[in-house]
Amino acid sequence: MTMATDTKNAFLTDVKILREKARQSLDNGAVVPTYQGDVQTAIDLLQAVLATEIVCVLRYTMHSIAVEGLTSESVGKEFQEHAASERKHMLGAANRIDQLGGVPNFNPEGLATRSATEYGNGGNLVEMVKQDLVAERIVIEHYQELIRYFGDKDPTTRILLEGFLADEEDHATDLHDLLVAHEGKPFLS
């Protein structure tokens, strides 16, 4: 009995058909005919995610070095941890672009215009934390939109971005907690 004739699994394609289809269009790599998204649009959106994550790595790295003051060592370590997390996101987005047949754009020219977030301008410790919290809030909303866009059309990209989103929400909470600890009151209502 093949899967296609089994009434419990009638929605599944027969394994023989899957095997034959897999042998066709080998030049498409991981993008199979059942991919429901628009490949070029997915690549373009992921290029923006890549640029955003590169900017975040750079900003957090700069902040980890530039911090000064009584709590600078602990906050600097927090910034370093966030930079490492953003680097993982950067590599994840780049790898997904590659899986879809694109070439990840690491070119620094135009990076700021491709990114959803801004690099920032440093400042004192509180200003840096606020810049990073604003950036995280932008990315959270942006990734929520992208997750809804990809939905079931591209579950691999959606799941990747859901992981990024969870990390970004964690970063935002960490930054908010730093502000509350410093200012003694919630920064956000």
Side-chain angles (χ1 to χ4, degrees):
M1 178 185 302
T2 64
M3 282 196 238
T5 60
D6 182 359
T7 56
K8 290 192 304 186
N9 297 316
F11 67 94
L12 297 176
T13 304
D14 185 290
V15 173
K16 291 178 186 175
I17 295 171
L18 285 176
R19 289 175 185 159
E20 181 56 37
K21 286 170 55 177
R23 289 181 179 89
Q24 300 168 2
S25 305
L26 293 178
D27 291 342
N28 293 337
V31 180
V32 296
T34 55
Y35 180 83
Q36 295 179 2
D38 178 274
V39 175
Q40 190 55 55
T41 300
I43 290 169
D44 293 343
L45 292 170
L46 286 165
Q47 295 287 14
V49 169
L50 176 61
T52 299
E53 294 297 338
I54 292 170
V55 168
C56 289
V57 169
L58 295 173
R59 186 184 56 256
Y60 274 122
T61 301
M62 184 265 293
H63 286 176
S64 75
I65 294 167
V67 293
E68 295 176 344
L70 293 175
T71 58
S72 63
E73 187 175 330
S74 63
V75 175
K77 286 181 183 177
E78 188 72 30
F79 288 156
Q80 288 173 358
E81 289 174 17
H82 289 200
S85 176
E86 305 296 0
R87 184 176 188 283
K88 288 179 185 175
H89 297 171
M90 175 189 75
L91 294 173
N95 284 324
R96 184 62 182 148
I97 291 166
D98 181 63
Q99 289 171 349
L100 292 169
V103 177
N105 185 353
F106 283 93
N107 189 336
E109 188 174 319
L111 184 62
T113 61
R114 296 190 314 267
S115 172
T117 63
E118 298 171 315
Y119 177 72
N121 52 11
N124 67 40
L125 184 82
V126 173
E127 290 167 346
M128 286 188 274
V129 171
K130 286 181 179 180
Q131 287 172 24
D132 290 330
L133 181 54
V134 167
E136 293 295 351
R137 290 171 53 82
I138 291 167
V139 170
I140 288 167
E141 193 164 345
H142 184 56
Y143 289 179
Q144 288 173 344
E145 290 175 347
L146 290 175
I147 288 165
R148 284 189 290 274
Y149 170 79
F150 285 110
D152 292 335
K153 296 183 290 187
D154 184 342
T156 303
T157 301
R158 184 197 74 233
I159 291 166
L160 177 75
L161 292 172
E162 287 172 346
F164 292 3
L165 176 61
D167 291 343
E168 305 300 0
E169 289 175 343
D170 188 50
H171 295 170
T173 299
D174 292 344
L175 294 164
H176 180 258
D177 290 348
L178 286 171
L179 285 175
V180 169
H182 175 75
E183 297 179 350
K185 61 181 176 18
F187 175 63
L188 304 171
S189 57

